[in-house]
Amino acid sequence: MDFFPIFLKVNHKQILVIGGGEVACRKVDLLLKAHANVTVVSPQLHPHLQILLERQLIKHINQPYHASQLEGADQVWATTDSSTLNHQIYHDANALKIWTNVVDDPTFCDFITPSMVDRSPIQVAISSGGASPVLVRYLRERLETYLPQNLNLLASFSGQQRQRVKQQFTTVDERRKFWEQFFRLSAVENAHSIEELEVAFQQLLTEQNHCNGNIYLIETGHDPELLSLKALRLMQQSEYVLYHDDVADVFIDLCRRDADRESCNHKNIQALTENLVQKGIRVCILATKDNHRPGIKKYCASHQGIFVPIFS
């Protein structure tokens, strides 16, 4: 890992952007969205920056760069078209222990900006550490199509209802299961207003229809790209993962991050699963196509579990 992923709070921080061209425009726009106090250093300003200056959204130092301008800055962005000057800015700022970003030059960066999918307050950031910007852009475009546009509405609403849910459910596990079921409701996925979400919320609270324990038997095969979307969805929903020794780590890693994991064999898997399901836990069993025993598949079916075969 070349860069540690982190979200920085720059609200009212003093941010110095050196350079007044098109690249600076993009960075300044993002910084203003995050409510930073932005000062641009450049003898010339791009027309867009000039408009921001006239609207008093940024400050402007109408001079060439000088190290003395770094005084008081919390963060520095070097966006000039001179790599020599950008590197000098980096060294000057580092001497003052100021985090610095030299645009499109990861070697001279204390931090980098990822490609972002913005559904504020939900944000998804993707980065290749500067290795493959085109691939990152492609991944962002894919995510844009997968993530619903009402995520910001869902995040705001759920944040406002946390106290109500705490009053209704005493344990963290009960609250988590309620929210998981709520977000999967079709009415919630298609909601366009707070009022629609409130109706679905009240109905679910009244029904108290919580997620029951279940069994998902996922046939892994040997190529993770052959997993179906259904298999991936069930793996992400599972709270406990049981897997055979011959299941590759990549499949286990694709399961829900906070799920408990345990290696098992065909002799004890039924007893383990039975105990977990009785506690209301959703159990995912990972087994290769060559090693899932007929008894496990039969047991899964007898408990109204779901078997998902690998594509071939």
Side-chain angles (χ1 to χ4, degrees):
M1 188 189 305
D2 294 326
F3 290 90
F4 182 81
I6 191 170
F7 286 87
L8 290 176
K9 186 173 183 179
V10 296
N11 186 29
H12 302 309
K13 296 292 186 181
Q14 303 301 320
I15 310 298
L16 196 67
V17 178
I18 303 166
E22 187 175 340
V23 175
C25 292
R26 297 197 299 269
K27 303 307 179 184
V28 168
D29 283 343
L30 287 173
L31 290 165
L32 290 178
K33 283 185 178 181
H35 311 291
N37 292 332
V38 179
T39 299
V40 177
V41 176
S42 178
Q44 296 180 325
L45 286 182
H46 187 281
H48 177 67
L49 295 176
Q50 187 64 46
I51 292 173
L52 296 179
L53 179 63
E54 292 170 0
R55 294 172 58 189
Q56 299 183 337
L57 296 176
I58 63 173
K59 296 178 182 178
H60 180 212
I61 298 178
N62 188 10
Q63 297 174 3
Y65 166 74
H66 190 274
S68 61
Q69 295 160 350
L70 299 174
E71 185 177 349
D74 295 306
Q75 192 182 98
V76 172
W77 296 73
T79 71
T80 78
D81 55 7
S82 168
S83 60
T84 301
L85 177 56
N86 287 341
H87 295 169
Q88 182 61 51
I89 294 168
Y90 173 81
H91 292 302
D92 292 344
N94 262 236
L96 298 173
K97 302 187 184 302
I98 302 173
W99 280 18
T100 305
N101 175 284
V102 175
V103 174
D104 294 331
D105 196 346
T107 303
F108 291 86
C109 286
D110 297 309
F111 65 95
I112 57 175
T113 52
S115 183
M116 289 177 283
V117 179
D118 192 1
R119 301 282 194 276
S120 295
I122 300 296
Q123 294 174 294
V124 180
I126 316 155
S127 173
S128 66
S132 183
V134 176
L135 176 59
V136 167
R137 186 163 59 248
Y138 167 74
L139 292 174
R140 181 183 62 78
E141 291 170 357
R142 293 284 298 273
L143 285 172
E144 286 280 9
T145 63
Y146 292 150
L147 298 177
Q149 291 294 325
N150 69 348
L151 269 182
N152 56 345
L153 184 69
L154 299 183
S156 299
F157 178 82
S158 59
Q160 295 166 5
Q161 311 310 319
R162 292 181 66 185
Q163 193 58 40
R164 290 170 67 185
V165 172
K166 282 184 179 180
Q167 292 172 353
Q168 185 78 16
F169 305 106
T170 56
T171 69
V172 173
D173 189 57
E174 287 176 330
R175 294 194 287 268
R176 176 174 53 77
K177 288 183 177 181
F178 170 83
W179 281 121
E180 288 177 350
Q181 190 171 13
F182 175 77
F183 290 132
R184 293 190 182 106
L185 294 174
S186 59
V188 170
E189 291 180 351
N190 298 319
H192 294 91
S193 68
I194 293 293
E195 291 74 21
E196 291 175 279
L197 291 176
E198 178 62 29
V199 170
F201 184 85
Q202 285 281 10
Q203 184 175 352
L204 190 58
L205 277 182
T206 302
E207 293 175 355
Q208 296 187 1
N209 181 23
H210 314 311
C211 297
N212 296 319
N214 209 338
I215 305 169
Y216 310 133
L217 174 57
I218 309 296
E219 192 176 75
T220 60
H222 302 285
D223 184 353
E225 293 190 0
L226 294 179
L227 287 173
S228 66
L229 292 175
K230 181 178 182 180
L232 289 168
R233 176 171 56 82
L234 295 177
M235 290 162 70
Q236 283 295 310
Q237 291 178 14
S238 300
E239 301 158 287
Y240 210 104
V241 179
L242 300 173
Y243 57 92
H244 289 156
D245 291 337
D246 61 345
V247 172
D249 289 343
V250 64
F251 294 100
I252 302 169
D253 292 339
L254 285 171
C255 293
R256 179 177 175 152
R257 276 286 181 88
D258 60 348
D260 291 313
R261 293 163 167 77
E262 185 173 352
S263 175
C264 60
N265 55 56
H266 67 280
K267 295 181 180 179
N268 65 356
I269 195 168
Q270 292 187 17
L272 286 170
T273 305
E274 184 74 29
N275 181 50
L276 292 166
V277 171
Q278 286 179 356
K279 295 178 181 179
I281 295 173
R282 286 165 292 181
V283 182
C284 174
I285 302 172
L286 300 178
T288 63
K289 188 173 183 177
D290 301 329
N291 197 26
H292 71 72
R293 299 293 193 273
I296 300 174
K297 187 176 178 181
K298 184 178 179 179
Y299 173 78
C300 178
S302 68
H303 285 70
Q304 297 183 323
I306 300 173
F307 169 62
V308 186
I310 193 74
F311 286 143
S312 59

